[in-house]
Amino acid sequence: MTRTILLVDDHPIVRAGCQRLLAEAALGRVVEAEDVGSALDRWRAERPDVVVLDLNIPGDGGGMAVLRTIREESPAVPVLIFSMHEDPAIAARALKAGARGYVTKNDAPDSLASAIGTVLAGRIHLDSGLARDLALMTLSPPSDPLAALTQREREILALVGRGLTAAAVAERLGISQKTVANTCTQIKDKLGADSTRALIRIAIDNGLAD
């Protein structure tokens, strides 16, 4: 029986490259989605055996919303996170939400196929470096609740906390609205926030919105 792999990423070049890699590995049939809406539609239509998911996709809640929905509807199906971010805080958040593995886009090309095989076999996939970083986080949890944020993420969180829109934040910092939206998604992933309102509350509680 041929397995079905749902690949969710908003970059066509990335999807095309993954299609070639997975075809060479002969892991199964690959179907694609590019945002939250299409990911959930394809998930429900195809009922894939495994999902390869980028967290930073367009749509309400981003990839974390897709992950949570899949875990609620079919907790036995493994979800493998495929991300550009190497931050262990993001990986920890995804694993806590139910992901069965985490692969970065900077890993060796054959690592994706290997990781898919690992999660299909019922095991968790983490490379040795990320596993070490996660272990260190567990042993030495940060006292600062915002310690996982970069300086730019703190700047954006502070502006969001003051009530600025994405357009206003982008204009203030000289960056694009898409960059602001993507960064807010990353902040939500790191801090466990599920909405902009939650980010505003976090900013206020931590004195960033003064």
Side-chain angles (χ1 to χ4, degrees), residues 2-192:
T2 302
R3 290 190 177 101
T4 299
I5 301 166
L6 173 58
L7 172 65
V8 186
D9 193 288
D10 62 332
H11 295 96
I13 291 178
V14 173
R15 295 199 304 272
C18 290
Q19 281 273 16
R20 288 194 295 271
L21 287 170
L22 298 179
E24 292 173 1
L27 287 175
R29 182 174 69 100
V30 180
V31 295
E32 299 180 5
E34 62 183 14
D35 54 30
V36 171
S38 62
L40 294 177
D41 287 345
R42 295 307 295 270
W43 156 252
R44 292 174 177 134
E46 300 284 348
R47 291 298 175 182
D49 298 283
V50 61
V51 179
V52 178
L53 174 66
D54 184 7
L55 293 176
N56 198 25
I57 56 174
D60 189 22
M64 289 297 292
V66 176
L67 172 58
R68 293 190 186 100
T69 299
I70 292 173
R71 293 294 297 165
E72 290 172 1
E73 295 186 6
S74 188
V77 173
V79 177
L80 176 68
I81 303 303
F82 184 48
S83 175
M84 65 179 289
H85 302 292
E86 299 182 1
D87 191 326
I90 296 178
R93 175 67 179 160
L95 293 170
K96 185 177 181 181
R100 299 295 294 172
Y102 195 98
V103 178
T104 77
K105 294 177 182 179
N106 292 324
D107 289 343
D110 60 353
S111 63
L112 179 60
S114 174
I116 291 173
T118 297
V119 299
L120 281 170
R123 301 189 302 274
I124 292 177
H125 174 85
L126 293 171
D127 71 31
S128 58
L130 184 56
R132 181 191 64 244
D133 291 343
L134 287 172
L136 291 173
M137 282 181 60
T138 301
L139 292 171
S140 303
S143 56
D144 178 3
L146 305 182
L149 301 185
T150 65
Q151 184 59 40
R152 176 47 60 92
E153 288 168 347
R154 282 176 177 261
E155 292 173 354
I156 290 176
L157 178 60
L159 294 174
V160 169
R162 294 168 191 160
L164 274 68
T165 64
V169 173
E171 182 177 359
R172 176 78 63 87
L173 298 179
I175 56 180
S176 70
Q177 288 190 50
K178 182 176 181 180
T179 297
V180 173
N182 289 343
T183 303
C184 284
T185 296
Q186 294 166 25
I187 296 170
K188 289 175 186 175
D189 290 344
K190 288 183 178 182
L191 301 182

